[in-house]
Structure formats: structure tokens, C-alpha cells
Amino acid sequence: INAEYMGIFRNIKSEMALSLSALLVFFLASSVFASTCSSTGTSASYTEKINGNIRAISSNGCPNHQWVSLNPNSATTQNSFMNVPAYPQINGATTSMTQQGGAIGLALNGVAIYSCYGGVSYGACSQYTNSAVYGEGYTFDGCQGHADSSGTYHYHEVPTCLAWMAGTTTGCHSPQLGWAADGFPIYGNYGPSGVLMKTCGYGGANSTYCLDSCGGYSGTLSGVDNFSYRYYMTGLIGVKGAQSSDFFPFTPLCLRGCCPSGVSCSTSNGALTVPTCSGSSNGYTSSYSPVAATGITSTCAPYNSNTGGGQSLYSPCSGSWSCSAGGIPVNSGASALSASLAAIVSLLVATLCLM
């Protein structure tokens, strides 16, 4: 009898050990698995450092503004990082992003920047009607982002709320909004002298300041940066959802840069490989010295309701900004909106009210 009881006791003990192990695995997994990003933008993080020839960027992938899910996915915390060249090079050949999923860049608020590719169901993003903006624009929230099935919140076009916070002002060159995986900066929708940037040859494109096939602009821009190349995120700020085909491809369609010898280029999106430089040239001027950009993680809450899949705008997330000679906007410190930002807000209010 004693032996029988001892056997039962051993079985119970074994089952309890298995149960405790299962609970331990559950709690450990819970600490590792992603948690939902704050819907009010309070959980955003962004860190950037210059480590020799590498610009090391990391974030938790959460936006610093309100977001709402208009597709089945919710924004969750990510282990987002990019190690990009601190001294970017213009490569002898371009690298296509027409079928590149995942992040091709990181915004200064830590949100992933995606190409126009929307997945296998759309095919290669060779034209507007194959783009994520065209096919999924109705799922973009009022800040122009949405999450994918992995919970990664991201932008496929110029992000309204981030552009506001960075200081986008009519008549000025757009402020920097992020970095591409090849180390070149990504700006908003305005180029030199406040020109609304479009691909050369597209409807309404400026004959002088227009984008190449990759969605970038070559040349030195005094008062803007010390690079000889940079990308732009195109579209109209304040237009919720799908943008006009005139702004295609919205984000970089190919990369002009490469990974220099001795630099370890890597991203949290393992599918993206920045090619080794071949026949490359410096992508910066003699005045250039790499400096870590400051992240934009202050909270932006421009909406007072998220009902019925729509957003009701009540305030942009910006102060008063000004620029000279079409340069980068500078915050004057005033709390009132500039007339130009007020005009943008009026346009957005009218647009959203009609949605």
C-alpha cells in the first residue's frame, strides 16, 4: 500500500512540476511577446547614436501619436533597429523596393517606413494601381499609418501627424522625417523653395525640383543638409487614405545607396539587404559630419474621437514655424498656428468631414 501511495504521490508531483513549468513558460513568453502600443502615443521610443562609420537607430516601433485600427491588426511593440552607413555612398546601381516587404527606413518617431509594395496579392509595385496606397489606403488612420499582421505600425506615404510635429510649413523645405536603410535622409513632401515634390514627368511636377525613379533628389541643397542625395515621402498632408496617382511611389521605390566596405549594415527586417558598394561615390559634401538626429517622441493627440472608423480633428500637433530662403523650418516657440498650418488644418478638417 505504501508503495502504491508513493507512486500516486510521484505522479502528482510530476504533474505539478509540468504545470508549474507551463506557467513559467507562459509568463516568460508574456514578457517577450509584444504588447499593444498606447493608442494615445505615449509609448513611443527612439534612440540614435553614431558609432564610428555606423548610424545605429533603434525604437519600439510605436507611434507617438494617436492611432486607430481600421484593419484587423493592432499596433504592437517591436524590436526595431537599423544600422546604416554614417557616411552614405551613392551606388553604381539601384536596388529595387518594388517587391520589398517590411521596413525600408525608420521615421524619427520610431515608426517603420514601408515601400509602396503591399504584398503578393498586389504584385510588384510597378505602378499606382499595384501600390499599398491604392489598395489599402482606406485602412490608413488619420495620421496616415496602419499596422500589418505582425503588429508593425508603419507608413506608406507622407505621415500627417509626424509631419506636423516636425514643423512642415508651406513655402519651406520639409523637415527630415526619417532615415532610409542606405543611410540617406528621408524628408516630407516639400522640396527646395517649398515645391511639392513629385516624380519627374508626373502631373504637376516641377521641372527643376522633381524626383528620380527612386523617389529621391540628387544635388547639394544649401540650408537643408550636407548630403548630395536624399529621399522624399510624397502626397498631401491632411488627405486621409489613398493619395492621387500623381504622387506615386510615395516612399522610395529603389535605394540609390549601398553598404560601404567595413560597415555592417543590418535591419530588424531580415529580408532587406543593402548591397555592398560597387562603383560608388560619396553621398555627402566636404562639409558633412555625421550627427545623431533627435527623435520626435513627444505625444501628439490630434483627434478627439475615433468612432465608426473615422477621426474627428481638433488640433494639429505643432507650434509656430518659420523658414528663410525655402530652408528647413525653425520653431519660433509660439503656440499659435502659422497661417500656412492653419490652411492645412482647414483642408484636413474639410476632407475628414466628408469621409
Side-chain angles (χ1 to χ4, degrees):
I1 296 175
N2 290 339
E4 182 178 354
Y5 278 118
M6 288 299 294
I8 294 173
F9 177 77
R10 281 195 294 270
N11 288 337
I12 294 173
K13 183 178 179 182
S14 177
E15 290 176 6
M16 288 181 63
L18 288 173
S19 298
L20 288 172
S21 297
L23 283 172
L24 180 60
V25 169
F26 173 80
F27 285 117
L28 287 174
S30 298
S31 65
V32 173
F33 289 167
S35 58
T36 302
C37 296
S38 166
S39 62
T40 58
T42 58
S43 56
S45 71
Y46 181 91
T47 302
E48 182 177 322
K49 297 178 181 179
I50 303 297
N51 297 328
N53 293 329
I54 296 174
R55 185 182 301 275
I57 310 166
S58 61
S59 78
N60 67 358
C62 292
N64 63 326
H65 50 69
Q66 281 179 301
W67 62 272
V68 60
S69 177
L70 301 181
N71 64 14
N73 310 313
S74 294
T76 59
T77 57
Q78 307 291 319
N79 178 27
S80 300
F81 68 87
M82 279 194 172
N83 291 329
V84 306
Y87 296 88
Q89 299 282 305
I90 298 176
N91 204 22
T94 62
T95 304
S96 174
M97 296 289 108
T98 58
Q99 297 185 77
Q100 179 63 60
I104 64 169
L106 281 179
L108 295 183
N109 61 354
V111 170
I113 297 173
Y114 279 24
S115 74
C116 63
Y117 179 62
V120 294
S121 60
Y122 299 107
C125 185
S126 57
Q127 58 187 353
Y128 175 66
T129 53
N130 292 108
S131 70
V133 171
Y134 176 81
E136 302 174 355
Y138 67 96
T139 70
F140 297 170
D141 62 26
C143 290
Q144 297 299 71
H146 70 173
D148 62 17
S149 58
S150 71
T152 302
Y153 187 86
H154 59 277
Y155 305 125
H156 286 284
E157 61 185 19
V158 60
T160 292
C161 298
L162 177 59
W164 273 338
M165 286 180 283
T168 298
T169 305
T170 303
C172 303
H173 189 287
S174 284
Q176 184 180 352
L177 299 184
W179 295 101
D182 59 6
F184 286 109
I186 301 176
Y187 291 93
N189 57 340
Y190 292 115
S193 301
V195 169
L196 192 60
M197 298 298 275
K198 297 180 179 181
T199 301
C200 299
Y202 277 47
N206 185 279
S207 59
T208 301
Y209 298 120
C210 57
L211 304 176
D212 63 19
S213 59
C214 286
Y217 179 79
S218 297
T220 56
L221 294 178
S222 178
V224 175
D225 60 33
N226 288 314
F227 296 95
S228 55
Y229 190 79
R230 74 285 299 156
Y231 300 102
Y232 291 82
M233 298 181 75
T234 58
L236 294 173
I237 293 175
V239 175
K240 180 179 176 293
Q243 298 274 355
S244 164
S245 59
D246 287 341
F247 294 104
F248 180 81
F250 312 105
T251 55
L253 193 61
C254 51
L255 296 182
R256 288 289 308 274
C258 53
C259 192
S261 175
V263 176
S264 177
C265 301
S266 60
T267 72
S268 49
N269 172 21
L272 174 59
T273 300
V274 178
T276 301
C277 292
S278 177
S280 62
S281 59
N282 290 341
Y284 50 89
T285 71
S286 59
S287 302
Y288 173 74
S289 179
V291 176
T294 301
I296 304 175
T297 55
S298 57
T299 304
C300 168
Y303 304 105
N304 57 15
S305 68
N306 286 314
T307 58
Q311 293 89 24
S312 175
L313 177 81
Y314 71 88
S315 176
C317 305
S318 178
S320 180
W321 302 77
S322 61
C323 66
S324 59
I328 297 294
V330 176
N331 195 337
S332 66
S335 59
L337 287 173
S338 66
S340 56
L341 275 174
I344 295 173
V345 173
S346 297
L347 173 62
L348 181 55
V349 171
T351 302
L352 292 180
C353 288
L354 291 174
M355 295 298 289

